[in-house]
Amino acid sequence: MSVILTVSLKKSKVPQNQKWTLRPDAPSNLHVTAVTDTTITFAWDEVLAADFYLLRLSGETRARRFDSNQAVVTGLVYDTVYSAKVSAVNGVIEGDSSNVVTQKTLLPKPIVSRYLYGESYINGSAVNASNVTNCRLYRKGEMTALLTGTVTAGVLRIYVLGNVNIIPGNQYDIRAIDGNPNLPTSVPGMPTTITAELAKITLNNVVASSGIVSGTTENNGQVRISVDGVNKTVFTATATGVFSGSISGMVAGAVIKAEAKVGTIFPSYAEKVAT
């Protein structure tokens, strides 16, 4: 005689107000997408079931929280190496950490003096450090260097006199270089943008009978005066840029030309017809 046993299995239920919390996976593919002198931007592959992420940075005791799989880490120190790792959190459960990524922040923008077209050097200052011995000049927004200059004890200099790439009115970026510029491991810092300016020059109306020629130029600058194409004299402006002087032999209708001197050239001028 056969006996059939019937076993009743009761399915347990999870209360509706309780949900399962999963331990999230470690984020993968942590990498750097952008860097400045004070920020590093990280990204990683999104983790399923992650409510938010914790990014831990070397030198900091508390993790930084981010709600997406991208993180702009701010408030950093220039020219400093940072290591970072990230983990995902589901509810109150934190998963394993990602791979560790190391990134150095850039050198800050150099401080560059106003540059007048015709001057021999672009001058300024940069970080005074053993790893900063050179700087470079680029067309604005480009990363192919036109010229390399020096940084000595924080003093920046780029020799530009007569260089065909320096064009009046054009803008240029200047960056200090982290490391030996002849090695591929060197890294350009943050850019400072300058303009190759033409020297200021104005010329007031000239009355031939008075013989007075006056106007404005750069502070303490020199101005060459010519009459009908013949050079007559050079005036030196005051500390506020005002020049004035007498020219003999002028007649009504003569063309008076005032040229601002920069270095050894006269790159800008103004003209008036004497009355």
Side-chain angles (χ1 to χ4, degrees):
M1 183 178 74
S2 62
V3 178
I4 300 176
L5 296 178
T6 302
V7 179
S8 176
L9 298 177
K10 185 176 181 180
K11 186 177 181 181
S12 62
K13 284 189 174 183
V14 178
Q16 291 184 354
N17 63 350
Q18 177 182 344
K19 78 170 189 177
W20 295 105
T21 301
L22 301 176
R23 179 180 175 84
D25 294 333
S28 59
N29 192 31
L30 176 64
H31 60 285
V32 173
T33 61
V35 60
T36 71
D37 54 336
T38 59
T39 66
I40 302 174
T41 303
F42 297 95
W44 55 90
D45 294 343
E46 190 173 2
V47 176
L48 294 177
D51 292 326
F52 59 91
Y53 301 91
L54 294 177
L55 187 143
R56 290 178 170 82
L57 200 68
S58 57
E60 296 186 351
T61 56
R62 296 184 61 181
R64 301 195 189 201
R65 172 175 168 161
F66 295 94
D67 293 329
S68 72
N69 60 324
Q70 294 187 7
V72 181
V73 180
T74 61
L76 305 180
V77 179
Y78 69 80
D79 197 30
T80 300
V81 176
Y82 291 92
S83 295
K85 58 184 178 180
V86 66
S87 58
V89 179
N90 182 7
V92 295
I93 298 180
E94 180 179 356
D96 292 332
S97 295
S98 69
N99 57 301
V100 175
V101 170
T102 299
Q103 177 64 53
K104 189 177 185 180
T105 50
L106 301 182
L107 293 170
K109 296 180 179 182
I111 299 171
V112 182
S113 304
R114 177 175 175 236
Y115 173 69
L116 293 179
Y117 179 75
E119 292 177 329
S120 298
Y121 289 90
I122 293 174
N123 296 294
S125 60
V127 172
N128 183 3
S130 59
N131 59 310
V132 185
T133 58
N134 291 91
C135 56
R136 283 188 173 141
L137 179 141
Y138 311 77
R139 291 187 182 89
K140 183 181 178 182
E142 297 184 3
M143 289 303 296
T144 300
L146 300 175
L147 293 168
T148 298
T150 60
V151 178
T152 304
V155 177
L156 178 151
R157 298 193 86 192
I158 306 173
Y159 185 74
V160 294
L161 184 63
N163 191 288
V164 296
N165 292 303
I166 307 302
I167 300 171
N170 282 13
Q171 290 188 307
Y172 300 89
D173 289 337
I174 297 173
R175 302 172 184 259
I177 304 300
D178 182 1
N180 186 333
N182 298 316
L183 298 178
T185 53
S186 65
V187 179
M190 299 296 291
T192 293
T193 301
I194 66 165
T195 301
E197 298 182 37
L198 283 172
K200 296 182 293 184
I201 184 73
T202 67
L203 182 60
N204 298 327
N205 291 331
V206 179
V207 178
S209 59
S210 73
I212 300 298
V213 176
S214 63
T216 61
T217 188
E218 299 294 332
N219 298 346
N220 302 305
Q222 291 187 312
V223 177
R224 182 171 67 184
I225 305 298
S226 63
V227 179
D228 289 333
V230 178
N231 295 335
K232 292 293 185 178
T233 189
V234 174
F235 295 145
T236 299
T238 66
T240 57
V242 176
F243 69 88
S244 180
S246 296
I247 302 293
S248 62
M250 282 194 298
V251 296
V255 176
I256 313 303
K257 185 177 185 180
E259 300 172 277
K261 184 179 183 181
V262 179
T264 60
I265 65 174
F266 298 86
S268 54
Y269 69 90
E271 286 183 339
K272 293 284 185 179
V273 175
T275 59

